[in-house]
């Protein structure tokens, strides 16, 4: 599984090698899109938390929960580009790491569909921010591919870290992931309180 995740992460990054000169052609859009999720601690916390949450749930959720986030984020992106007003976007982004991290920390069994819905709601806020803040000179498709790639890598980072720690600590792996979920929730509180 770790080899598969590593190979997928490499495949997501490989196309960027063709755009060695930023600002040329479509590369500006891709790199702007890629930089947006990793440029803000609020996005990073939430997206890595999604991967840890998926690990805690296990089974089909390991794939479907991150896919739900990415899919709903694209819908939010479309709303942002269309300048459709979504209330409390910044609050929704900050709350996403609190709620998703807390769900991972609790470690309670949850139907996969419910978990997909939970992360999907918050993904709309993240996607809307990407769309509303897209630079005018960035191509929409390449920009979207950039933030989708970065988001996927952040999800994979959460899953990969949880899997790696699980291999080290054995049967306490889920507990370690739950502790990490609590850390993401606290990080979200820090964002809300202005500490981060």
């Amino acid at each position: 599984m770790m080899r598969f995740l590593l190979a997928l992460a490499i495949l997501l990054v490989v196309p960027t090698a063709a755009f060695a000169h930023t600002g040329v052609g479509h590369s500006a859009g891709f790199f702007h899109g890629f930089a947006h999720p990793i440029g803000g601690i609020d996005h990073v916390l939430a997206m890595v938390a999604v991967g840890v949450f998926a690990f805690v749930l296990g089974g089909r959720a390991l794939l479907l929960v991150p896919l739900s986030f990415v899919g709903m984020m694209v819908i939010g992106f479309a709303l942002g580009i269309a300048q459709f007003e979504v209330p409390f976007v910044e609050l929704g982004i900050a709350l996403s790491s609190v709620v998703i991290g807390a769900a991972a920390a609790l470690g309670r069994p949850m139907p996969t569909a419910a978990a997909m819905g939970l992360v999907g709601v918050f993904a709309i806020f993240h996607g809307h921010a990407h769309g509303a803040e897209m630079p005018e000179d960035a191509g929409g498709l390449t920009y979207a591919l950039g933030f989708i790639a970065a988001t996927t890598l952040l999800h994979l980072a959460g899953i990969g870290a949880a899997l790696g720690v699980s291999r080290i600590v054995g049967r306490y792996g889920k507990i370690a992931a739950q502790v990490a979920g609590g850390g993401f929730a606290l990080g979200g509180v820090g964002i809300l309180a202005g500490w981060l």
Side-chain angles (χ1 to χ4, degrees), residues 16-144:
T16 64
F19 304 118
H21 303 287
T22 60
V24 178
H26 296 290
S27 65
F30 182 88
F31 284 111
H32 279 116
F34 191 87
H36 193 255
I38 61 175
I41 188 71
D42 49 356
H43 292 296
V44 172
L45 284 174
M47 293 175 192
V48 176
V50 168
V52 171
F53 180 45
F55 171 83
V56 168
L57 294 174
R60 296 181 326 139
L62 199 59
L63 176 65
L64 294 177
V65 167
L67 283 177
S68 175
F69 189 98
V70 171
M72 294 305 290
M73 185 179 60
V74 170
I75 290 171
F77 173 68
L79 294 174
I81 286 180
Q83 297 180 344
F84 183 86
E85 191 64 34
V86 173
F88 308 113
V89 169
E90 290 302 320
L91 179 61
I93 290 170
L95 282 175
S96 62
S97 58
V98 174
V99 173
I100 296 167
L106 291 173
R108 302 262 190 254
M110 178 184 287
T112 300
M116 292 168 66
L118 176 71
V119 301
V121 166
F122 289 108
I124 291 172
F125 294 116
H126 287 269
H128 188 279
H130 295 326
E133 297 171 15
M134 183 177 79
E136 288 184 21
D137 62 341
L141 177 61
T142 53
Y143 182 83

